[in-house]
Amino acid sequence: MSGSPMRPELLRIATISRVEEESRGVKTLYFSDRLCSEARPGQFLMIWAPGVDEVPMSLSTISRERVSVTVKLVGEGTRAIHKMRVGDRMGVRGPFGNGFTISGSRPLLVGGGTGVAALKPLLEAMLADGVEPTFILGARSLDDLLFRSHLEKLLGRRLFFTTDDGSLGFKGFASDLAIRLMGERDFDSVYVCGPEPMICKVFEEAERRGLPIQASLERYIKCAVGLCGSCALGPFRVCRDGPVFNSQQLRLVRDELGRTRMDPSGLMISIEP
Amino acid sequence: MSQLNLAVEIGGLKLRNPVMNAAGVLGLSANLLKRVYEAGAGCVVTKSLGLHPRRGHPNPTLVAVEGGILNSMGLPNPGASYFANEVKRLKGMDIPVIASIFGSSPEEFIEVARILAESGADALELNYSCPTVGRERCLLDADPENIERVTSAVKDAVDLPIFVKLSPNVGDIVECAWASERGGADAITAVNTLKGLAIDAELRRPILSNIMGGLSGPALKPVALRCIWEITEEVEIPVIGCGGISTWRDAVEFLLCGANAIQIGTAIMYRGLEVFWEILEGVKGYLEVNGFTDVNEIVGLAHET
């Protein structure tokens, strides 16, 4: 409550030090920020494109020197963020939320689309801890696979690709391969981030096999500090109680998961498949 | 084990304790409000509800400032008819509900009030004065004449306790309190957020998309206490104190100042939902240590010195 600049909820202005085009419509923006350097994998930031919008983004790099967010172009706010160049300034609040907890020694990580961004710092932390993760990297097509060469270097044969169109690796959804691998190999925990229908399928399979799961979920976020309720998911606030939820919490929101979400006015609307 | 009484009655509404969430805080779903109640609150207050769904302002809608936060949510809400079902769910769980409502005309206030009265709300809190939508003329200007007119219209239309939430952004809050009393209000909630603005020096622009916002949190506390003092010196109806209450000590100060109950908002950001429990335990401790047996005994004591 003091005026300390180390309060995560305070807005800081960050200068972009590097921009990386990851794939079609996906860019990674690097910058330095002390609080973000101390973030836990899975925590998120509010990124303010001045005059346009402020949007929640997972940290895709967490290190002492620099951090990053990986942004998919989906609307007005992300378009403004995509237009930013090295030297441009943006607002940053956070890190917010709980982040992942590393447990087990043989985890399966399942990332679909830009959901991979939240899993990348988790994977790096796991490897630093001597954990041996298996990673399923999924996307619509070969060109959409995120951080492909980086993940290959880190994981070697423990990296699996899936593409919806079969242009690389397993043809189908990341969840399909996850279900198959869970049957074939011996995992002791599952981590998932990506489209909610995919998360749902991976969760249900993990439940069937009694595997503990942590899933990073997305909702419409306004305040990011647990006050406004705009990101409600069952009894939870995604911004404060999440964005990472464990098996026990996911069981409580089964009727909403992959089916409905709250729109900006507070109406529950159905999630498009 | 303890013989302490924490139950209060506010304008006919009986509550197990005098602590509740402030309107706008976590009030967008029955599930979240249930958590507020389970965290210890004596009742729950909904987001301010209007006739139609509103998406509110674009982000940024919240910025932290020295001593609190500024928000310009812009009254997002799913509309009274939709939320009526959430109120019914809460009533199904036996949770007392105060529905916060707003409208752009007396007729609209009445319509929204009727919908929520029918849904089973236990009381209505009239929001005349959210500082984040002023320019849109979504609400009536909070002048005493309007306050009296709308309060009495809603009072006549529904058979529920009516609370009027007052803004500190007025020349004389006592005029507004008198107007509420004349209009038949059963209690006053004081206060709403204080109109403010935040500029970023580096980007040389206002931070909130709506430019103006409402200040809440510790910085608002002395303003709220001053307003409650002035109001309780002049009107008879009970007051629900709101504005910068973060700890049990703040809560006790509001009660001593004349508030019969208190609402918590921004403190949930600093202290989590546990803040309800912490405040209740702290108030109990204060009563015990100071030889009181009933929370109502300390209401307004500061006026007697």
Side-chain angles (χ1 to χ4, degrees), chain A residues 1-4 7 9-13 46 48 50-56 89-91 93 220-223 225-237 240-241 256 262-268, chain B residues 24-29 31-32 35 47 53-69 73 76-79 82 200 202-203 205-207 218 246 265-273:
Chain A
M1 237 180 289
S2 73
S4 157
R7 284 164 58 196
E9 66 270 18
L10 282 182
L11 179 80
R12 286 95 64 193
I13 301 300
M46 294 301 283
W48 176 38
V52 187
D53 202 355
E54 186 194 38
V55 290
R89 290 175 296 184
M90 61 186 187
R93 288 195 293 142
Y220 185 76
I221 288 175
K222 281 181 185 165
C223 79
V225 291
L227 284 178
C228 75
S230 299
C231 60
L233 168 69
F236 303 119
R237 302 158 295 173
R240 184 82 173 246
D241 306 309
E256 282 185 45
M262 194 179 262
D263 87 346
S265 71
L267 288 168
M268 291 301 277
Chain B
V25 175
L26 297 177
L28 218 42
S29 76
N31 279 325
L32 287 178
R35 263 184 86 183
K47 206 99 169 165
R54 271 178 72 99
R55 297 170 72 90
H57 297 309
N59 278 347
T61 46
L62 180 138
V63 58
V65 294
E66 195 68 37
I69 55 175
M73 290 294 160
N77 80 96
Y82 175 91
D200 184 80
E202 279 158 273
L203 298 175
R205 61 185 307 145
I207 296 167
S246 308
T266 308
I268 295 170
M269 174 180 92
Y270 298 117
R271 308 173 88 90
L273 282 159

Side-chain angles (χ1 to χ4, degrees), chain A residues 147-192:
Chain A
F147 313 120
R148 189 179 144 194
S149 59
H150 176 69
L151 295 179
E152 270 174 328
K153 264 180 240 151
L154 293 180
L155 288 154
R157 292 164 56 84
R158 287 204 309 274
L159 178 64
F160 293 82
F161 299 107
T162 75
T163 48
D164 301 356
D165 63 3
S167 47
L168 186 72
F170 177 87
K171 184 177 192 299
F173 297 129
S175 47
D176 298 332
L177 182 61
I179 290 165
R180 182 192 285 183
L181 283 191
M182 277 189 254
E184 292 171 1
R185 294 171 184 231
D186 180 29
F187 300 111
D188 58 6
S189 55
V190 180
Y191 298 81
V192 59

Side-chain angles (χ1 to χ4, degrees), chain A residues 193-226:
Chain A
C193 186
E196 207 161 295
M198 176 197 110
I199 290 176
C200 252
K201 285 181 200 154
V202 175
F203 166 58
E204 291 302 341
E205 182 66 15
E207 281 290 273
R208 235 187 324 273
R209 299 186 174 278
L211 281 174
I213 189 169
Q214 291 177 42
S216 174
L217 301 178
E218 219 180 297
R219 283 295 180 274
Y220 185 76
I221 288 175
K222 281 181 185 165
C223 79
V225 291

Side-chain angles (χ1 to χ4, degrees), chain B residues 23-99:
Chain B
V25 175
L26 297 177
L28 218 42
S29 76
N31 279 325
L32 287 178
L33 287 173
K34 179 174 174 247
R35 263 184 86 183
V36 169
Y37 191 69
E38 286 169 349
C43 73
V44 298
V45 185
T46 70
K47 206 99 169 165
S48 287
L49 301 161
L51 204 47
H52 307 293
R54 271 178 72 99
R55 297 170 72 90
H57 297 309
N59 278 347
T61 46
L62 180 138
V63 58
V65 294
E66 195 68 37
I69 55 175
L70 276 178
N71 90 80
S72 67
M73 290 294 160
L75 293 176
N77 80 96
S81 302
Y82 175 91
F83 207 82
N85 286 320
E86 299 293 291
V87 174
K88 281 179 196 157
R89 284 184 57 205
L90 289 164
K91 292 314 299 169
M93 298 181 271
D94 246 350
I95 296 173
V97 182
I98 299 174

Side-chain angles (χ1 to χ4, degrees), chain B residues 221 224-225 228 241-243 245 250-259 262:
Chain B
K221 191 182 119 180
L225 283 171
I228 292 162
C242 181
I245 300 169
D250 296 330
V252 165
E253 289 168 17
F254 273 68
L255 296 166
L256 293 170
C257 188
I262 53 156

